[in-house]
Amino acid sequence: RPGRHRRGARQARDSAEAYSSYQQLFQSGDRTFTLCNTLANLLVKIGEFGSAAQVLRLALSMGKVGEDVAARLKHNIQYLEDKARQ
């Protein structure tokens, strides 16, 4: 199915463009919880599990989340760190 391959290539290109934009915002110091979470998701998409875990650690350190979100972040950080070691 050629359409599926074009769609996959477009999604990869869109993810790379989004990653670049979010990375620029992050490096400029615009580090909100939402930006960190989105950037971490984009890092996972490109296989950068260790970097995604670091960004989620920063989001967690902001302390602006409820206990349920903090627990989920901790779980995700552990998962990503384990994945990065594989």
Side-chain angles (χ1 to χ4, degrees), residues 20-38:
S20 178
S21 295
Y22 279 92
Q23 184 67 15
Q24 287 176 1
L25 286 170
F26 183 82
Q27 288 179 343
S28 74
D30 184 13
R31 296 180 180 177
T32 64
F33 175 83
T34 300
L35 182 128
C36 289
N37 193 55
T38 303

Side-chain angles (χ1 to χ4, degrees), residues 4-65:
R4 183 171 25 146
H5 295 293
R6 279 195 296 267
R7 217 175 16 253
R10 184 175 54 244
Q11 287 173 342
R13 187 175 54 252
D14 291 348
S15 290
E17 289 173 9
Y19 166 75
S20 178
S21 295
Y22 279 92
Q23 184 67 15
Q24 287 176 1
L25 286 170
F26 183 82
Q27 288 179 343
S28 74
D30 184 13
R31 296 180 180 177
T32 64
F33 175 83
T34 300
L35 182 128
C36 289
N37 193 55
T38 303
L39 180 58
N41 288 334
L42 291 165
L43 285 162
V44 168
K45 284 186 177 187
I46 62 172
E48 294 291 331
F49 304 113
S51 295
Q54 288 177 336
V55 172
L56 287 182
R57 279 196 182 284
L58 176 62
L60 185 60
S61 74
M62 291 177 182
K64 298 178 182 177
V65 297

Side-chain angles (χ1 to χ4, degrees), residues 68-83:
D68 57 332
V69 174
R72 190 173 64 229
L73 283 173
K74 289 175 185 176
H75 170 80
N76 291 345
I77 290 165
Q78 185 63 55
Y79 171 81
L80 291 169
E81 289 173 342
D82 292 345
K83 189 101 170 136

